[in-house]
Amino acid sequence: MKQLANEKLVYQTLIDIGQLAAYLDGATMVAFDFETAPQARFGDVPEAALDPHQAEITGISLAVLPLLKKTVFENPGCLKIAHNLAFEAKFLLAAEIVLQPPVFDTIAGVRVDQPQLKQNRAIAAAALTALRQQLEHPRQRVVKVGANAATNDFKAYLFEDLGLPVLKTTATGKPSVDNEALLALLDYAQAAAPEVLDYLALVADFRRMSKLDKTYLVGLGSRINPATAALHPQFLPLGAETGRFTSVHPNCQNLPAGAIQGISVRDLLVARPGKTLVALDYSQIELRIGAWLTRDKQMMAVYRHGGDIHAMTTAGVYGISLAQASDKNEPRYKERRAVAKNINFGIFYGLYPKGLQRILRLKAGLNLSLEACESMIFNIHLAYPGLAPWQQGVIRQASYDEKMATALGRQRCLPGINDPDEALASQARRAALNHPIQGTAADILKLAMARLLPLLAGNPAITPLLTVHDELVFEVDDAVLTPSIARLKEIMEAPPFPGFDLPLVVEVSVGTRYGSLTPMGWRLTVARQRPER
């Protein structure tokens, strides 16, 4: 099927190569789909039709492939639309044909609000102009900051004109002004040079807006399929070393969750008319898996009885009662809970005083002493006595095997865990602690996806769109929204595998824009107050 100059799509069956060549001549958009069948000797092999080494494309002569290779598949001037890009591409590779961009597939994509995208680009351009003007015209002199505030002139202004210390260097020994160096300079300036804080904050704002514009607004816009007005990311099932999905072209895993100077990237992703976006997120799944792996009685009790893990951690860290930790009228309630949340989401991976201090400063805006952080870590091990033995056992086993596995046995090699370089060994130890938890979470999500297949097969009312970390996003027809959510939630909350004896809870959010989804307050499992993430 090709698109002609009058924009109409025309279907035609041809049996003559000359006619096919004439038909494809000048085509700027070609859609294609392969039907495959097992080769004769693999006729009895299950799913052989899906394997390019055991199957062949049917309904097309091999003599046609060279023509299609030149005029369509490897022609950069022709936009290709595959029915299932991953499937068609592997059969073409087996025939020594490499699909060249631009190429998209027709697997359900996420619709983009293009007028809003255009408006956001104008807002970002104006903001960048204003920020650059302020950065380039401080009181001392004109500074050339370039596209990302990393020019030699910018460095000279920081380290010579302003007299700031070089806190990080590049591999070649030159002063670094990357984001990590900028954070270090901000910390330094708070104590030693408060007069430059505003300028450094402007640098951070400029870089944040620059990344928003280049990576997300321009980046997403360049990936919109002109035929569907949607994004069709390529999902990599083992893209992360833990086994989590990643996505490319574009990367939809790291879309900013909030608004940056009034621009919400996620709000650009919208539902089609008559449909609603439904996000189903495994609530605190890594904490649940950690509780299950450590067999810590306190943590397991929280999840078995619908308690509040953040309140439990608050009580343990500060040595107060659970009632005090849960009392929102307590003067220090918000601060203590912020500390507890940040401890919880790093609790299994080996928190150290300096690391906790840095996390609390960056994520909670708290400046605590190393002694206070050390005391908190000591208290958390007293509160959860199953934690330290599990961590020690994991490190001991990983050091011996130089690998670690998820609960279902998927392994990750850790060749650096016994390295004499302590930095490399420490990084491998953190990976050893991380893999059983985050890796098992990735396995649970994929098992849920497999269980969902019978529901989705032949059911156009529910369309899967995205997987983002511990979340699945669907587009659901409004007419069947409530029963569809109930069924999706029920399937995802089912016990993932034998032996996993803690309940899984899925939180549901709905709406027409991905960035402005509204949490649904009801649950089909145990009726209880919804804990915070």
Side-chain angles (χ1 to χ4, degrees):
M1 180 178 70
K2 77 166 185 177
Q3 186 169 16
L4 301 175
N6 61 6
E7 301 300 317
K8 292 181 179 179
L9 294 173
V10 177
Y11 290 87
Q12 189 173 353
T13 301
L14 298 172
I15 58 174
D16 181 86
I17 291 182
Q19 285 182 300
L20 180 60
Y23 175 71
L24 293 173
D25 184 42
T28 58
M29 183 187 298
V30 174
F32 65 96
D33 180 17
F34 292 160
E35 294 295 332
T36 62
Q39 298 174 19
R41 62 183 185 279
F42 298 115
D44 296 329
V45 178
E47 300 186 348
L50 306 179
D51 185 349
H53 303 292
Q54 301 180 70
E56 55 195 6
I57 303 169
T58 61
I60 184 173
S61 168
L62 291 178
V64 172
L65 285 178
L67 172 65
L68 295 178
K69 177 179 180 179
K70 179 180 178 181
T71 59
V72 179
F73 301 135
E74 296 188 356
N75 177 8
C78 177
L79 189 151
K80 280 77 67 179
I81 302 176
H83 174 67
N84 182 335
L85 180 56
F87 179 77
E88 269 88 30
K90 67 182 181 181
F91 273 86
L92 289 173
L93 281 173
E96 299 183 353
I97 297 173
V98 180
L99 272 173
Q100 298 297 315
V103 57
F104 301 93
D105 67 27
T106 58
I107 291 181
V110 190
R111 182 68 65 87
V112 178
D113 183 343
Q114 296 189 64
Q116 185 64 50
L117 174 61
K118 184 177 180 180
Q119 182 178 338
N120 286 352
R121 287 218 57 200
I123 295 171
L128 283 170
T129 298
L131 288 167
R132 182 180 286 107
Q133 180 72 12
Q134 295 178 72
L135 289 177
E136 291 186 339
H137 295 85
R139 294 177 183 176
Q140 291 85 346
R141 66 176 178 87
V142 175
V143 182
K144 297 179 180 178
V145 299
N148 199 38
T151 63
N152 288 332
D153 192 38
F154 174 71
K155 293 179 183 179
Y157 178 70
L158 292 184
F159 303 124
E160 295 174 17
D161 294 41
L162 297 181
L164 293 173
V166 176
L167 301 178
K168 183 183 178 185
T169 58
T170 65
T172 58
K174 296 180 179 179
S176 173
V177 289
D178 65 10
N179 288 336
E180 184 178 351
L182 183 62
L183 286 174
L185 285 171
L186 280 164
D187 286 344
Y188 168 83
Q190 282 185 333
E195 68 277 5
V196 303
L197 276 173
D198 288 345
Y199 188 82
L200 294 176
L202 277 176
V203 175
D205 289 343
F206 178 73
R207 287 182 174 176
R208 194 177 300 113
M209 181 56 68
S210 180
K211 180 175 181 179
L212 174 74
D213 183 51
K214 182 179 179 180
T215 303
Y216 299 112
L217 301 183
V218 176
L220 293 182
S222 68
R223 291 290 177 180
I224 297 174
N225 184 329
T228 63
L231 299 172
H232 300 264
Q234 180 182 353
F235 292 96
L236 308 176
L238 296 173
E241 289 189 272
T242 56
R244 270 182 167 177
F245 272 92
T246 60
S247 64
V248 294
H249 311 312
N251 177 4
C252 290
Q253 303 294 309
N254 298 316
L255 299 178
I260 299 175
Q261 293 199 13
I263 297 175
S264 171
V265 173
R266 292 193 177 200
D267 269 349
L268 295 173
L269 308 185
V270 296
R272 292 165 176 81
K275 297 177 181 289
T276 296
L277 297 180
V278 178
L280 297 104
D281 183 38
Y282 277 116
S283 173
Q284 299 178 356
I285 189 168
E286 291 184 23
L287 288 172
R288 293 171 191 273
I289 293 168
W292 177 71
L293 287 171
T294 62
R295 309 306 292 174
D296 183 89
K297 293 181 180 179
Q298 293 274 35
M299 282 191 275
M300 293 181 72
V302 169
Y303 287 117
R304 281 186 172 145
H305 303 298
D308 183 344
I309 191 69
H310 299 317
M312 181 69 73
T313 298
T314 300
V317 167
Y318 290 99
I320 60 179
S321 69
L322 190 59
Q324 285 178 288
S326 304
D327 185 358
K328 294 183 180 181
N329 294 319
E330 280 283 330
R332 296 183 61 195
Y333 171 80
K334 288 186 178 180
E335 176 188 323
R336 287 171 169 172
R337 193 168 181 86
V339 169
K341 282 187 175 184
N342 282 284
I343 288 176
N344 277 342
F345 291 119
I347 190 174
F348 300 105
Y349 310 132
L351 280 176
Y352 296 94
K354 282 188 177 180
L356 179 58
Q357 183 187 52
R358 182 173 182 272
I359 289 170
L360 292 176
R361 183 171 63 249
L362 294 177
K363 295 190 175 182
L366 299 172
N367 289 302
L368 302 182
S369 67
L370 283 176
E371 292 75 14
C373 293
E374 187 174 11
S375 176
M376 288 175 176
I377 292 172
F378 179 81
N379 288 343
I380 202 64
H381 283 98
L382 288 180
Y384 300 133
L387 179 60
W390 175 80
Q391 290 173 323
Q392 293 162 4
V394 167
I395 298 300
R396 185 167 53 248
Q397 192 66 43
S399 299
Y400 182 80
D401 295 334
E402 295 195 341
K403 61 184 179 181
M404 186 47 60
T406 67
L408 294 174
R410 186 169 47 76
Q411 297 182 349
R412 176 178 181 179
C413 293
L414 301 165
I417 198 163
N418 295 313
D419 197 288
D421 185 333
E422 177 55 27
L424 292 176
S426 177
Q427 184 179 5
R429 288 194 292 270
R430 286 194 297 272
L433 293 168
N434 176 271
H435 187 68
I437 296 175
Q438 196 174 102
T440 299
D443 293 344
I444 287 174
L445 184 76
K446 290 173 184 174
L447 289 170
M449 294 170 74
R451 295 196 304 272
L452 286 167
L453 285 176
L455 173 66
L456 302 178
N459 185 358
I462 306 175
T463 304
L465 297 181
L466 296 171
T467 171
V468 180
H469 304 316
D470 304 319
E471 176 182 82
L472 295 177
V473 182
F474 298 85
E475 193 173 54
V476 180
D477 285 2
D478 291 341
V480 294
L481 184 61
T482 298
S484 296
I485 290 174
R487 187 70 181 120
L488 289 166
K489 183 175 168 64
E490 179 185 17
I491 292 171
M492 289 181 67
E493 288 184 336
F497 50 81
F500 192 87
D501 55 357
L502 290 181
L504 294 176
V505 172
V506 170
E507 295 182 338
V508 182
S509 299
V510 298
T512 57
R513 292 184 180 272
Y514 182 46
S516 302
L517 301 181
T518 302
M520 298 186 71
W522 54 268
R523 283 188 175 167
L524 299 179
T525 51
V526 182
R528 57 180 180 266
Q529 183 180 358
R530 197 168 104 254
E532 298 178 48
R533 286 203 65 207

